[in-house]
Amino acid sequence: MSVIRNAVLVGSLALAFGASMVGTAQATAVAQSVLQVVSLQFRNAGTGVALDASNFDILNIQASTNLNPSLNGVFNPFSTFTVGGAPLPLTVRCVPAACPAGLNPGAPFANAATPPTVDGALAASILTGAPITGLGQPLGATAKTSALAQLVNPGVANSSANIGMIAKLSFSLANDTAMRMDFSSLLHMIAFLDSDLTANTGVGWSIDIVNHANGATVFHWAPDGVIGTGISGGVELADGCNLQLSVGVFGAGSASADCSGSESAVTGLLLAANQYDLTISEQNRADVLVTASSSGPSSSGPGLPEPSSVLLVALALAGLGFARRKR
């Protein structure tokens, strides 16, 4: 009979331990970053006329995108590239792969719902148009990227989305000239958390021109919302938004950033005798991590045992050993 009593005790303690694992509080978290670069154009700084493919002796264009959403260790990555100034069609990747309605699959660049209704992660991108004429695309490159990670249950979700609008461009200008770049920017970022641990998100946009012969950077521009900073080898004319931004929260709270504005800069003189490599990078990321709480309504999400749970399982193991000795 003592063996039976001990077996019942062990079973009861194991059930209590399991209940403590599941009986954790529900928590919600959202991290989202959306960046839209609208109608980027390259112009002759002196004449204001849009540059044309015929102005270049060497012109090799490649655009690429990489998307990588993940939820609790499950990934759904995507990567592709195009050449010759071809567009990148709208692509959306989610975890879960079916993109449930709570992840805004129909409007991946719209603001996320707060609080969220489902666990998941989303990454999206699209590139249309071209920064110069003569490529068979409308003048003005528009790139949109979005990264979203959200949790209703304890866990971890991450997302990243990026576009190399002109990932690799080598050219020799027909005549020495300074090049002007103009575009409009639109930025939305949010980090929301109603428990532990963290929600954070970030964006980045930059352009670099490098002398192909010696690898020296002749122009660098990373708009940061302040005229005259974030630029070298040229002059900044307008800087309406900080495109080198991160926001986050650690513990319950929220942080956000919304901005729209004009961006404009002029390079130094680019020599017809030189060949240059031009790279544009647009990046988004979003990360959320939520642990289980010790009180509140139950949740089906994974949790960590509380100290009392550890004590219960220790007692259960001790009881099991005692039962075996009695037998």
Side-chain angles (χ1 to χ4, degrees):
M1 290 296 293
S2 63
V3 172
I4 295 175
R5 283 195 300 270
N6 282 315
V8 171
L9 174 63
V10 171
S12 300
L13 292 174
L15 287 174
F17 174 70
S20 71
M21 286 286 287
V22 176
T24 55
Q26 193 173 44
T28 57
V30 173
Q32 183 189 34
S33 64
V34 176
L35 179 57
Q36 301 185 38
V37 170
V38 181
S39 192
L40 171 65
Q41 299 183 20
F42 294 162
R43 299 181 178 276
N44 183 304
T47 65
V49 176
L51 292 175
D52 184 82
S54 63
N55 298 133
F56 298 84
D57 294 330
I58 301 173
L59 183 61
N60 300 309
I61 299 176
Q62 177 176 296
S64 64
T65 185
N66 294 279
L67 310 175
N68 194 22
S70 68
L71 174 65
N72 296 325
V74 178
F75 294 82
N76 187 14
F78 174 82
S79 179
T80 191
F81 70 93
T82 62
V83 296
L88 292 165
L90 173 64
T91 305
V92 182
R93 284 292 184 273
C94 298
V95 181
C99 286
L103 284 175
N104 294 321
F109 306 108
N111 295 356
T114 306
T117 57
V118 297
D119 294 336
L122 174 149
S125 68
I126 183 174
L127 172 62
T128 58
I132 65 175
T133 60
L135 296 177
Q137 301 293 324
L139 175 62
T142 294
K144 301 179 182 180
T145 47
S146 175
L148 169 64
Q150 60 185 46
L151 293 171
V152 175
N153 300 291
V156 58
N158 311 95
S159 181
S160 63
N162 69 68
I163 282 181
M165 259 194 303
I166 303 176
K168 188 175 183 180
L169 175 63
S170 299
F171 62 94
S172 296
L173 295 174
N175 298 287
D176 297 351
T177 187
M179 186 170 66
R180 175 169 173 159
M181 290 150 287
D182 299 273
F183 66 90
S184 298
S185 58
L186 178 65
L187 170 71
H188 167 73
M189 303 172 68
I190 185 172
F192 167 85
L193 187 62
D194 70 359
S195 64
D196 292 333
L197 277 173
T198 180
N200 63 84
T201 183
V203 299
W205 189 94
S206 63
I207 180 170
D208 290 274
I209 301 177
V210 174
N211 186 313
H212 184 79
N214 58 23
T217 298
V218 298
F219 178 76
H220 167 77
W221 184 31
D224 59 4
V226 179
I227 290 286
T229 65
I231 189 169
S232 60
V235 178
E236 194 170 44
L237 305 177
D239 194 348
C241 288
N242 184 356
L243 305 186
Q244 323 298 320
L245 189 61
S246 296
V247 300
V249 289
F250 300 88
S254 65
S256 62
D258 289 275
C259 184
S260 61
S262 298
E263 313 289 345
S264 181
V266 175
T267 71
L269 192 65
L270 301 175
L271 305 180
N274 292 341
Q275 182 176 328
Y276 299 95
D277 299 320
L278 185 152
T279 302
I280 297 177
S281 175
E282 176 173 327
Q283 301 179 344
N284 298 67
R285 63 169 181 78
D287 308 281
V288 290
L289 173 64
V290 173
T291 59
S293 177
S294 60
S295 61
S298 64
S299 166
S300 60
L304 298 176
E306 302 166 20
S308 58
S309 303
V310 176
L311 176 61
L312 287 174
V313 77
L315 290 173
L317 293 174
L320 181 59
F322 175 74
R324 287 177 175 169
R325 286 196 298 274
K326 290 289 290 184
R327 199 177 317 161

